[in-house]
Amino acid sequence: MPRREGGLLTRFLAALPFRLTGAQQRVVEEIAADMTRPHPMHRLLQGDVGSGKTIVAALAACQAIDAGYQAALMAPTEILAEQHYRKLSAWLEPLGVPVAWLAGSQKARDKREAVARVESGEAQLVIGTHALIQDTVRFAKLGLSVVDEQHRFGVAQRLALRGKAGAADASDSAVTAAETVPHQLMMSATPIPRTLAMTYYADLDVSVIDELPPGRTPIVTRLVNDARRDEVIARVHHAAAEGRQVYWVCPLIEESEALQLQTAVETYETLVAALPDLRVGLVHGRLPPAEKAAVMDDFSANRMQVLVATTVIEVGVDVPNASLMVIEHAERFGLAQLHQLRGRVGRGSAESVCLLMYQAPLSPTARERLATMRETTDGFEIARRDLEIRGPGEFLGARQSGEAMLRFADLQTDAWLVEYAQEAAELMLARYPEAVEAHLSRWLGGREHYLKA
């Protein structure tokens, strides 16, 4: 996919109302170089929450569209997917790029129309949720698959989107295997352990956006025992009195006797009673899409000071005026979720605080997780600690964490060997291709497709 002078990519860059950061420019060049090579790109774009990964994905999509291919962007929740759709449509449709939207909540007629546009090739950029990988969806010529918040998808789901490129071309025997495998860009603020471990093994290239846009402030994280709930509510009232907005996140919708968790509904009722002078909203996964959108619009427009939510707001919500995040029962969340939730604040110039409320006693694993959150806001460091706590998962299978089942090596103690192994692999590929085939057959046994997830 060569870059075209004066093409869509050039026009898009010229139309942007802001300048890319130095880190974004570097990453865009890395991805663009990958997409000009004859073999498919398999790259992880790591950037902390709010670092500007979406614009990088949009520029990669422009390069694919310039070359005559379609691009697809899959996100884990409708809130995030719809935010991507609105943002990318506003950027690209004025430049003549037809954008399609696919989601589970669409009316049957709208979905049929969108699927037809994708299959005919009329839609050059397709954005959606898991609906993109349904059997009924066929692409005319998929050249780039982008998976946002890739840690939220299973291995099989990421492979399914990648596999969509071959669906339309299967009848054409002249199409080579390389041409039916699209470039793949996976984006994450917190790579899952398996992905992080695969980067050690050179099956995944990594681009890092290590620079936040100007004006962002660091987030202060504090641990608070659940017994101090009244103090936390007072802190919420103080933040709202200063004109700031607040998220309060709960892990469950319904009461579960087994887990004894405060529910979002109960917490909402408590806060409404405790904060009568503030407007408190509630959003959770079971709300109809129209109601969910109305609540989110009210919060975004600052007509609502406090938003009680389940993890539906984990990714994709961008409200710069929100500067306080309260996460209830933080010990029940994984590190990736905690890091994502915390990233909903710190998007404006005001000092932002994340309060992790926990219920004692803590298990050793929960204590490690919460200590990690208090000590660092770096996504790669959080993923490295997650790797230590959970294990890297199965490289040639679908498990995403746990023991690696490596026969002779340990990722923690034998990391120094990886660089030598990578050099040896490159040498073998260049000089002894027959030995490489024999080696792969002996050790992978036909399971190498898992490495592409």
Side-chain angles (χ1 to χ4, degrees):
M1 295 185 183
R3 295 175 76 164
R4 263 178 51 203
E5 287 302 319
L8 173 64
L9 185 60
T10 308
R11 289 186 289 126
F12 179 40
L13 276 169
L16 281 180
F18 53 86
R19 290 188 62 181
L20 298 182
T21 64
Q24 284 174 318
Q25 290 174 13
R26 184 187 70 245
V27 165
V28 165
E29 289 301 322
E30 289 169 357
I31 292 168
D34 263 8
M35 291 176 67
T36 60
R37 296 192 175 106
H39 52 81
M41 172 177 73
H42 191 207
R43 185 171 283 276
L44 172 68
L45 174 57
Q46 152 71 19
D48 240 328
V49 181
S51 61
K53 297 183 289 293
T54 307
I55 185 68
V56 173
L59 289 163
C62 287
Q63 188 169 340
I65 293 165
D66 262 343
Y69 290 88
Q70 291 168 296
L73 192 159
M74 183 166 72
T77 66
E78 283 204 19
I79 285 179
L80 176 57
E82 188 169 1
Q83 182 165 307
H84 280 322
Y85 174 68
R86 287 182 183 179
K87 189 178 282 185
L88 270 66
S89 296
W91 284 341
L92 294 173
E93 285 189 335
L95 299 175
V97 177
V99 183
W101 160 251
L102 270 173
S105 66
Q106 273 178 306
K107 293 176 182 173
R109 188 182 69 182
D110 293 341
K111 193 177 284 187
R112 278 197 304 273
E113 287 176 3
V115 167
R117 291 177 64 211
V118 174
E119 190 167 3
S120 70
E122 182 209 330
Q124 293 177 305
L125 175 61
V126 188
I127 299 168
T129 58
H130 302 75
L132 289 182
I133 56 177
Q134 290 175 342
D135 292 342
T136 52
V137 180
R138 292 170 177 269
F139 286 79
K141 196 177 183 185
L142 181 62
L144 173 69
S145 87
V146 181
V147 180
D148 195 14
E149 298 309 328
Q150 58 92 25
H151 67 278
R152 296 283 301 275
F153 292 98
V155 173
Q157 291 169 322
R158 298 200 299 268
L159 282 172
L161 181 60
R162 191 183 175 100
K164 285 290 180 184
D169 295 329
S171 57
D172 184 357
S173 58
V175 176
T176 67
E179 286 174 316
T180 62
V181 178
H183 294 295
Q184 185 171 34
L185 180 64
M186 297 188 290
M187 304 196 295
S188 185
T190 327
I192 52 176
R194 180 176 174 275
T195 312
L196 192 74
M198 283 175 69
T199 64
Y200 281 127
Y201 285 81
D203 291 301
L204 197 59
D205 294 309
V206 183
S207 289
V208 182
I209 303 178
D210 51 9
E211 179 185 355
L212 288 177
R216 294 283 168 90
T217 54
I219 303 166
V220 177
T221 303
R222 296 199 175 98
L223 308 186
V224 183
N225 193 304
D226 186 61
R228 297 169 60 192
R229 176 176 296 267
D230 289 347
E231 293 175 43
V232 173
I233 292 174
R235 179 71 182 264
V236 168
H237 191 273
H238 179 69
E242 290 187 331
R244 317 311 304 179
Q245 288 168 278
V246 182
Y247 294 105
W248 189 302
V249 179
C250 305
L252 285 183
I253 299 169
E254 293 178 345
E255 188 61 63
S256 162
E257 287 181 9
L259 295 177
Q260 292 292 307
L261 297 181
Q262 291 271 336
T263 66
V265 175
E266 273 185 3
T267 302
Y268 168 73
E269 290 168 353
T270 301
L271 291 175
V272 166
L275 304 167
D277 54 331
L278 301 182
R279 189 170 171 211
V280 183
L282 173 64
V283 65
H284 55 71
R286 294 187 189 177
L287 275 184
E291 282 185 45
K292 202 185 295 182
V295 174
M296 296 309 300
D297 284 346
D298 278 352
F299 190 66
S300 297
N302 201 5
R303 292 188 291 268
M304 182 184 292
Q305 289 78 48
V306 183
L307 180 63
V308 178
T310 57
T311 53
V312 293
I313 60 109
E314 181 182 335
V315 289
V317 181
D318 191 356
V319 182
N321 190 51
S323 64
L324 177 60
M325 164 70 69
V326 180
I327 302 177
E328 190 150 353
H329 285 286
E331 77 276 5
R332 302 282 183 182
F333 292 91
L335 272 173
Q337 272 191 314
L338 288 172
H339 184 56
Q340 283 293 343
L341 287 166
R342 176 170 61 186
R344 297 309 101 211
V345 294
R347 291 170 170 257
S349 55
E351 181 185 282
S352 293
V353 177
C354 176
L355 300 180
L356 302 179
M357 290 175 66
Y358 64 91
Q359 196 164 41
L362 289 174
S363 70
T365 300
R367 186 175 282 110
E368 277 189 78
R369 278 204 296 261
L370 296 183
T372 296
M373 290 297 295
R374 186 178 56 199
E375 290 162 12
T376 182
T377 56
D378 180 271
F380 251 130
E381 175 60 17
I382 287 171
R384 191 190 67 76
R385 303 261 192 107
D386 203 15
L387 185 65
E388 288 178 0
I389 295 168
R390 292 205 296 159
E394 184 181 358
F395 296 106
L396 303 175
R399 290 191 305 120
Q400 298 201 139
S401 64
E403 290 302 311
M405 298 193 296
L406 296 173
R407 297 197 184 186
F408 305 113
D410 177 89
L411 269 178
Q412 298 301 320
T413 58
D414 300 323
W416 63 276
L417 273 172
V418 173
E419 202 173 322
Y420 292 107
Q422 288 175 346
E423 288 174 6
E426 288 171 12
L427 185 70
M428 286 180 69
L429 281 166
R431 297 189 188 174
Y432 312 107
E434 300 84 1
V436 168
E437 288 301 322
H439 196 68
L440 292 179
S441 176
R442 166 70 180 85
W443 291 102
L444 300 190
R447 292 180 294 171
E448 53 268 31
H449 64 287
Y450 281 115
L451 294 173
K452 297 180 174 63

